Amino acid sequence: MTAPTGLAALAALTALCPPPADVPPVPDWPGAEGVLGMRLPGDYKELVAAYGPGEFNGFLTLYQPGTLNEWVDLTGPVPARLRAQLDAHHRGALPCATEDLLAMGVTGNGHYLFWDTRLRDAPDRWTVVVSERLSAPWFTYRGPVTAFLADVLGGTLRVPLFPRDLLLGDGPAFAPSRLRGRVRVTALDTRPPVSTSTIRAWARAQGFDVPDRGRVPFAVFEAWEAATRSD
Protein backbone atom coordinates (compact mmCIF):
# COMPACT_ATOMS: atom_id res chain seq x y z
CA MET A 1 0.00 0.00 0.00
CA THR A 2 1.33 3.43 -0.97
CA ALA A 3 0.68 6.10 1.63
CA PRO A 4 -0.96 9.33 0.44
CA THR A 5 1.17 12.39 0.97
CA GLY A 6 0.76 16.09 1.60
CA LEU A 7 -2.62 17.67 0.91
CA ALA A 8 -4.10 14.38 -0.33
CA ALA A 9 -3.54 12.79 3.07
CA LEU A 10 -4.95 15.80 4.91
CA ALA A 11 -8.01 15.84 2.65
CA ALA A 12 -8.57 12.14 3.35
CA LEU A 13 -8.22 12.69 7.09
CA THR A 14 -10.51 15.72 7.30
CA ALA A 15 -13.16 13.87 5.26
CA LEU A 16 -13.07 11.05 7.81
CA CYS A 17 -12.65 13.19 10.89
CA PRO A 18 -13.71 16.85 10.56
CA PRO A 19 -11.45 19.33 12.37
CA PRO A 20 -12.88 21.79 14.91
CA ALA A 21 -14.32 25.09 13.74
CA ASP A 22 -12.13 27.12 16.09
CA VAL A 23 -8.42 26.29 16.05
CA PRO A 24 -5.75 28.11 18.08
CA PRO A 25 -3.10 30.11 16.21
CA VAL A 26 -0.45 27.97 14.54
CA PRO A 27 2.75 27.43 16.51
CA ASP A 28 5.90 29.45 15.95
CA TRP A 29 7.39 26.96 13.51
CA PRO A 30 10.81 28.66 13.08
CA GLY A 31 11.10 28.87 16.87
CA ALA A 32 10.09 25.23 17.34
CA GLU A 33 12.51 24.06 14.67
CA GLY A 34 15.24 26.13 16.28
CA VAL A 35 14.64 24.41 19.62
CA LEU A 36 14.65 20.97 18.01
CA GLY A 37 17.59 21.72 15.74
CA MET A 38 15.82 20.32 12.68
CA ARG A 39 13.04 21.13 10.25
CA LEU A 40 9.66 19.47 10.71
CA PRO A 41 7.55 17.70 8.06
CA GLY A 42 5.27 19.90 6.00
CA ASP A 43 2.32 17.53 6.34
CA TYR A 44 2.61 17.71 10.13
CA LYS A 45 2.51 21.52 10.08
CA GLU A 46 -0.64 21.45 7.93
CA LEU A 47 -2.17 18.86 10.25
CA VAL A 48 -1.52 20.98 13.35
CA ALA A 49 -2.87 24.09 11.60
CA ALA A 50 -6.08 22.22 10.73
CA TYR A 51 -6.78 20.57 14.10
CA GLY A 52 -4.82 22.22 16.89
CA PRO A 53 -4.22 20.36 20.19
CA GLY A 54 -6.54 17.49 21.03
CA GLU A 55 -7.22 13.80 20.71
CA PHE A 56 -8.23 11.56 17.82
CA ASN A 57 -10.94 9.00 18.56
CA GLY A 58 -10.49 9.28 22.31
CA PHE A 59 -7.18 7.52 21.92
CA LEU A 60 -4.35 9.20 20.03
CA THR A 61 -2.76 12.55 20.86
CA LEU A 62 -0.06 14.19 18.76
CA TYR A 63 2.63 16.29 20.39
CA GLN A 64 2.63 19.92 19.27
CA PRO A 65 5.02 22.80 19.98
CA GLY A 66 4.12 25.06 22.88
CA THR A 67 1.00 23.26 24.12
CA LEU A 68 -0.45 24.09 27.53
CA ASN A 69 0.12 20.48 28.54
CA GLU A 70 3.87 19.82 28.74
CA TRP A 71 3.18 16.09 28.61
CA VAL A 72 2.34 16.51 24.91
CA ASP A 73 4.61 19.45 24.06
CA LEU A 74 6.88 18.60 21.13
CA THR A 75 9.40 21.20 22.30
CA GLY A 76 8.96 20.41 26.00
CA PRO A 77 10.88 17.98 28.24
CA VAL A 78 9.01 14.75 27.46
CA PRO A 79 10.55 13.81 24.06
CA ALA A 80 14.06 14.09 25.53
CA ARG A 81 13.03 12.07 28.58
CA LEU A 82 11.60 9.31 26.41
CA ARG A 83 14.80 9.19 24.39
CA ALA A 84 16.81 8.94 27.61
CA GLN A 85 14.57 6.12 28.83
CA LEU A 86 15.12 4.27 25.59
CA ASP A 87 18.87 4.70 25.97
CA ALA A 88 18.80 3.35 29.50
CA HIS A 89 16.12 0.69 29.47
CA HIS A 90 15.06 -0.34 25.98
CA ARG A 91 14.42 -4.04 25.44
CA GLY A 92 14.67 -5.64 22.02
CA ALA A 93 15.86 -4.24 18.74
CA LEU A 94 15.19 -0.59 17.95
CA PRO A 95 14.15 0.54 14.47
CA CYS A 96 17.08 2.99 14.45
CA ALA A 97 19.48 4.69 16.84
CA THR A 98 17.79 6.48 19.74
CA GLU A 99 19.18 9.85 18.65
CA ASP A 100 17.21 9.45 15.42
CA LEU A 101 13.89 8.87 17.21
CA LEU A 102 11.77 11.95 17.93
CA ALA A 103 8.68 11.29 20.04
CA MET A 104 5.61 12.97 18.56
CA GLY A 105 2.54 11.20 19.91
CA VAL A 106 1.04 9.03 22.65
CA THR A 107 -1.93 6.68 22.84
CA GLY A 108 -4.48 5.95 25.52
CA ASN A 109 -2.87 2.60 26.26
CA GLY A 110 0.57 4.08 26.87
CA HIS A 111 2.24 3.47 23.52
CA TYR A 112 4.34 6.13 21.82
CA LEU A 113 4.64 7.39 18.26
CA PHE A 114 8.03 8.50 16.97
CA TRP A 115 9.43 9.91 13.79
CA ASP A 116 12.42 8.10 12.33
CA THR A 117 14.54 11.18 11.54
CA ARG A 118 17.55 9.51 9.97
CA LEU A 119 16.87 11.57 6.82
CA ARG A 120 17.48 14.67 8.92
CA ASP A 121 17.53 17.09 6.00
CA ALA A 122 14.46 15.56 4.33
CA PRO A 123 11.68 15.70 6.97
CA ASP A 124 8.94 15.07 4.41
CA ARG A 125 10.41 11.59 4.02
CA TRP A 126 10.37 10.73 7.72
CA THR A 127 8.42 7.60 8.60
CA VAL A 128 6.32 6.76 11.66
CA VAL A 129 7.23 4.10 14.21
CA VAL A 130 5.10 2.99 17.16
CA SER A 131 6.52 1.39 20.30
CA GLU A 132 4.83 -0.79 22.87
CA ARG A 133 5.56 1.22 26.02
CA LEU A 134 9.13 1.95 24.89
CA SER A 135 9.92 -1.69 24.21
CA ALA A 136 9.63 -4.21 21.40
CA PRO A 137 7.71 -4.94 19.29
CA TRP A 138 7.91 -1.83 17.14
CA PHE A 139 5.49 -1.10 14.30
CA THR A 140 6.77 0.86 11.29
CA TYR A 141 4.63 2.83 8.86
CA ARG A 142 6.37 3.82 5.63
CA GLY A 143 4.72 7.20 5.27
CA PRO A 144 4.04 10.56 6.95
CA VAL A 145 2.01 11.01 10.10
CA THR A 146 -1.06 12.53 8.39
CA ALA A 147 -1.34 9.52 6.08
CA PHE A 148 -0.84 7.25 9.10
CA LEU A 149 -3.81 8.84 10.86
CA ALA A 150 -5.96 8.70 7.73
CA ASP A 151 -5.18 5.02 7.24
CA VAL A 152 -5.73 4.09 10.90
CA LEU A 153 -8.98 6.04 11.27
CA GLY A 154 -10.17 4.93 7.85
CA GLY A 155 -9.71 1.28 8.77
CA THR A 156 -7.23 0.51 5.98
CA LEU A 157 -4.34 0.07 8.44
CA ARG A 158 -4.39 -2.26 11.42
CA VAL A 159 -1.70 -1.47 13.99
CA PRO A 160 -1.29 -4.59 16.16
CA LEU A 161 -0.52 -2.46 19.23
CA PHE A 162 -3.81 -0.55 18.97
CA PRO A 163 -7.09 -1.91 20.44
CA ARG A 164 -9.41 -3.75 18.08
CA ASP A 165 -12.37 -1.63 19.15
CA LEU A 166 -10.67 1.65 18.17
CA LEU A 167 -13.11 2.29 15.31
CA LEU A 168 -16.28 1.12 17.02
CA GLY A 169 -18.97 3.64 17.93
CA ASP A 170 -19.94 6.71 15.93
CA GLY A 171 -16.85 6.73 13.71
CA PRO A 172 -13.66 8.78 13.77
CA ALA A 173 -13.78 11.99 15.79
CA PHE A 174 -11.44 14.68 17.07
CA ALA A 175 -11.84 16.26 20.53
CA PRO A 176 -10.05 19.62 20.96
CA SER A 177 -8.04 20.13 24.14
CA ARG A 178 -10.01 21.69 27.00
CA LEU A 179 -6.99 23.08 28.81
CA ARG A 180 -6.98 26.76 29.71
CA GLY A 181 -3.95 26.72 32.00
CA ARG A 182 -0.44 25.28 31.91
CA VAL A 183 0.12 21.68 33.06
CA ARG A 184 3.80 21.14 33.78
CA VAL A 185 5.63 17.83 33.80
CA THR A 186 7.76 18.82 36.79
CA ALA A 187 4.70 19.59 38.89
CA LEU A 188 3.17 16.20 38.16
CA ASP A 189 6.26 14.04 38.60
CA THR A 190 6.16 14.28 42.41
CA ARG A 191 2.52 13.30 42.78
CA PRO A 192 1.65 9.77 43.97
CA PRO A 193 0.02 7.41 41.47
CA VAL A 194 -3.76 7.71 41.20
CA SER A 195 -5.97 4.78 40.22
CA THR A 196 -8.06 5.01 37.09
CA SER A 197 -11.17 4.37 39.22
CA THR A 198 -10.51 7.65 41.02
CA ILE A 199 -10.19 9.49 37.72
CA ARG A 200 -13.36 7.83 36.39
CA ALA A 201 -15.32 8.85 39.49
CA TRP A 202 -14.13 12.45 39.17
CA ALA A 203 -14.92 12.50 35.45
CA ARG A 204 -18.49 11.27 35.93
CA ALA A 205 -19.05 13.91 38.60
CA GLN A 206 -18.01 16.52 36.03
CA GLY A 207 -20.38 15.16 33.41
CA PHE A 208 -17.90 13.18 31.32
CA ASP A 209 -19.07 9.94 29.72
CA VAL A 210 -16.37 7.39 30.56
CA PRO A 211 -16.46 3.57 30.27
CA ASP A 212 -16.33 1.35 33.35
CA ARG A 213 -13.34 -0.51 31.96
CA GLY A 214 -10.57 -0.05 29.42
CA ARG A 215 -8.66 3.10 28.67
CA VAL A 216 -9.48 6.48 30.15
CA PRO A 217 -9.76 8.92 27.22
CA PHE A 218 -6.79 11.25 27.15
CA ALA A 219 -9.06 14.31 27.09
CA VAL A 220 -10.57 13.16 30.41
CA PHE A 221 -7.14 12.48 31.92
CA GLU A 222 -5.97 15.88 30.71
CA ALA A 223 -8.99 17.62 32.29
CA TRP A 224 -8.44 15.75 35.57
CA GLU A 225 -4.78 16.80 35.65
CA ALA A 226 -5.69 20.43 35.07
CA ALA A 227 -8.43 20.40 37.74
CA THR A 228 -6.52 18.59 40.50
CA ARG A 229 -2.95 19.82 40.15
CA SER A 230 -1.46 22.16 42.75
CA ASP A 231 0.70 25.01 41.37
Side-chain angles (χ1 to χ4, degrees):
M1 178 178 63
T2 301
T5 58
L7 294 177
L10 184 60
L13 180 61
T14 56
L16 285 166
C17 184
D22 296 321
V23 180
V26 297
D28 173 9
W29 293 120
E33 291 171 334
V35 170
L36 295 171
M38 64 183 81
R39 291 186 295 116
L40 291 167
D43 79 288
Y44 167 75
K45 295 178 185 179
E46 295 290 342
L47 175 62
V48 169
Y51 286 91
E55 185 180 40
F56 288 92
N57 244 43
F59 179 69
L60 196 153
T61 301
L62 292 183
Y63 296 174
Q64 299 184 22
T67 60
L68 290 174
N69 186 348
E70 282 192 352
W71 287 103
V72 292
D73 187 345
L74 187 71
T75 50
V78 167
R81 290 189 182 189
L82 293 176
R83 186 179 286 134
Q85 290 178 41
L86 282 172
D87 275 330
H89 305 297
H90 76 80
R91 300 182 297 277
L94 294 171
C96 58
T98 54
E99 61 264 26
D100 294 321
L101 289 170
L102 176 59
M104 53 84 170
V106 65
T107 71
N109 54 5
H111 302 327
Y112 292 95
L113 279 69
F114 295 81
W115 276 304
D116 178 344
T117 70
R118 279 178 288 183
L119 299 173
R120 189 64 58 96
D121 296 327
D124 291 333
R125 297 173 61 192
W126 292 354
T127 57
V128 177
V129 290
V130 185
S131 78
E132 184 176 14
R133 298 183 177 88
L134 299 182
S135 63
W138 290 74
F139 177 87
T140 298
Y141 178 79
R142 302 295 181 187
V145 64
T146 306
F148 173 81
L149 288 173
D151 284 345
V152 168
L153 296 178
T156 60
L157 174 67
R158 168 83 176 101
V159 181
L161 304 177
F162 290 180
R164 292 186 176 274
D165 63 354
L166 179 59
L167 297 179
L168 296 181
D170 297 330
F174 178 81
S177 173
R178 299 180 182 217
L179 280 184
R180 295 296 181 267
R182 189 72 162 154
V183 175
R184 295 188 179 278
V185 171
T186 51
L188 301 177
D189 281 348
T190 58
R191 292 168 56 166
V194 177
S195 71
T196 57
S197 61
T198 299
I199 299 175
R200 291 178 207 276
W202 174 89
R204 292 190 184 100
Q206 306 307 310
F208 288 99
D209 182 16
V210 292
D212 292 331
R213 297 181 180 180
R215 62 184 182 276
V216 175
F218 189 82
V220 172
F221 180 79
E222 185 181 61
W224 175 83
E225 292 282 17
T228 60
R229 74 183 187 277
S230 59
D231 295 323

